[in-house]
Amino acid sequence: MSFEIGIMTFGELTEDPATGRLPSPRQRVRETIEQAQLADQVGLDVFGVGEHHRSDFVGSAPSILLAAAAERTERIRLTSAVTVLSSEDPVRVWEQFATIDLLSAGRAEIIAGRGSYTESFPLFGYDLNDYAELFREKLGLLLAIRDRNPLTWRGRFRPPLYEADVAPRADGGTIPIWVGGSAGHRRRRSAPAGSACRWRWPCCSGR
């Protein structure tokens, strides 16, 4: 079985070990896109941007960074690492990554996780007591959006969908969706049916 080599970043704002200086958010964002471009040029397989909602990271909107990277790269696959799906709207996640897929000519992927850092839950109005159930329901909805359109769906945590037209659709008709590893970094297979099975070993992606 083949494997892939890639690089991921959370966009950390940490001191330069050589100068002791802290980069500005603008500098760190630009460096992130440059990292993607270099990873593409040297032949790596995957570039990932993780999600954090704190002032010591610039990765609160990975989809925007990946969209910018799509315009600066040619071959490398572009993925979240991870999307904290429990505190996201799966409809919006699909729309964003389908757009990245169109920009990149079919190179977008999603790694969905529960969130080993939980700052997004109170920020977006979710109860941590629903931690596991939120993820199960939202992963099911995200996979349903990928697999059929229009979509009728009902759950507990968001308004129902009735014959909803969720657009755009992906460049090649689908987007690989993976479930992130546990806090212990165990490998897990991809969640979806109907896509090629590959291993991913994302770090700090969930519980």
Side-chain angles (χ1 to χ4, degrees):
M1 183 171 57
S2 62
F3 62 93
E4 297 174 330
I5 298 175
I7 186 171
M8 61 165 287
T9 179
F10 288 117
E12 305 92 334
L13 288 168
T14 55
E15 291 183 355
D16 186 310
T19 66
R21 295 175 181 171
L22 195 68
S24 68
R26 178 190 292 181
Q27 177 184 346
R28 190 68 184 92
V29 164
R30 299 311 308 168
E31 288 173 350
T32 299
I33 307 308
E34 290 168 3
Q35 285 178 333
Q37 187 175 23
L38 180 59
D40 186 53
Q41 290 171 350
V42 301
L44 296 186
D45 298 299
V46 183
F47 179 77
V49 179
E51 178 181 340
H52 278 297
H53 297 268
R54 297 183 352 209
S55 58
D56 52 341
F57 296 91
V58 296
S60 62
S63 60
I64 293 178
L65 293 173
L66 292 171
E71 291 296 288
R72 295 280 296 274
T73 58
E74 297 179 357
R75 187 197 58 84
I76 198 166
R77 297 196 65 82
L78 303 168
T79 185
S80 57
V82 301
T83 294
V84 184
L85 189 60
S86 302
S87 59
E88 289 273 12
D89 181 353
V91 174
R92 195 65 177 136
V93 169
W94 174 267
E95 291 174 339
Q96 291 166 348
F97 279 84
T99 302
I100 294 169
D101 204 62
L102 296 177
L103 286 170
S104 65
R107 292 184 284 128
E109 298 187 357
I110 300 169
I111 300 177
R114 293 165 174 82
S116 55
Y117 289 81
T118 57
E119 67 271 3
S120 65
F121 287 79
L123 187 64
F124 298 117
Y126 290 99
D127 189 339
L128 277 172
N129 291 323
D130 298 322
Y131 184 87
E133 191 174 349
L134 277 164
F135 183 73
R136 283 194 294 269
E137 179 177 302
K138 292 190 175 191
L139 180 61
L141 175 53
L142 182 62
L143 295 176
I145 292 168
R146 185 200 61 178
D147 293 340
R148 59 186 183 272
N149 191 59
L151 173 67
T152 297
W153 177 92
R154 182 179 295 274
R156 174 186 170 193
F157 296 104
R158 76 176 315 281
L161 301 170
Y162 178 73
E163 290 297 304
D165 180 12
V166 183
R169 305 310 293 173
D171 186 66
T174 191
I175 295 175
I177 299 172
W178 313 90
V179 174
S182 72
H185 312 308
R186 291 192 299 270
R187 295 183 297 183
R188 296 192 180 178
R189 289 203 103 124
S190 59
S195 64
C197 285
R198 287 175 288 176
W199 289 103
R200 281 291 161 83
W201 199 346
C203 179
C204 303
S205 56
R207 296 179 182 172

